[in-house]
Amino acid sequence: MVLNAFRGALGFLTTLPIGRTEAAWEAFAARPVVMVLVGYVLGGLIALPLLLPLPSPIVGFWFVLGVVGFAGINNFDGLLDVADGVATHGTPEQARAAMKDSQIGVGAVLTMGVVLLGLFAVGSW
């Protein structure tokens, strides 16, 4: 059952083509602690460019691509939605509405820039 939960977590939290069944999802929902293991797997995959003997700007670029490629665009979309909600001036209802709309706000643009630059800096180190 734990292995099925791990497969479900991999399928939900990454772009890896594994664990995208209803049973795996339900097992993951029942045991969300397995997302820690997914973090180790994802971190190991994303860190692979850091082991290559390439110039640091290229390694940094591949590191960013690894995060986007393995973590998936949906995770970045969620981060940007939250950033728009945090940047909203108004009531909690207005913040939730900003998180649900399809427009990109200044909070999202700033957050994406900082995240991408930060990932590139870490990967280039």
Side-chain angles (χ1 to χ4, degrees):
M1 191 70 162
V2 173
L3 184 58
N4 204 24
F6 179 66
R7 286 180 54 241
L10 276 174
F12 181 71
L13 298 170
T14 72
T15 60
L16 298 174
I18 186 170
R20 301 211 175 133
T21 65
E22 188 67 29
W25 164 251
E26 289 173 4
F28 168 50
R31 290 183 175 80
V33 71
V34 297
M35 78 174 66
V36 174
L37 298 174
V38 172
Y40 285 120
V41 170
L42 193 57
L45 289 171
I46 291 169
L48 286 176
L50 302 175
L51 303 174
L52 300 174
L54 296 170
S56 61
I58 293 174
V59 173
F61 178 72
W62 279 101
F63 183 74
V64 172
L65 286 182
V67 171
V68 172
F70 288 119
I73 207 73
N74 288 336
N75 289 314
F76 281 103
D77 181 53
L79 173 68
L80 299 183
D81 286 342
V82 170
D84 275 342
V86 169
T88 300
H89 298 288
T91 65
E93 291 77 24
Q94 290 171 321
R96 279 191 288 280
M99 291 171 58
K100 292 179 181 180
D101 71 14
S102 61
Q103 295 181 357
I104 298 173
V106 174
V109 171
L110 180 62
T111 298
M112 182 54 83
V114 169
V115 167
L116 291 178
L117 285 172
L119 286 172
F120 180 78
V122 167
S124 297
W125 187 275

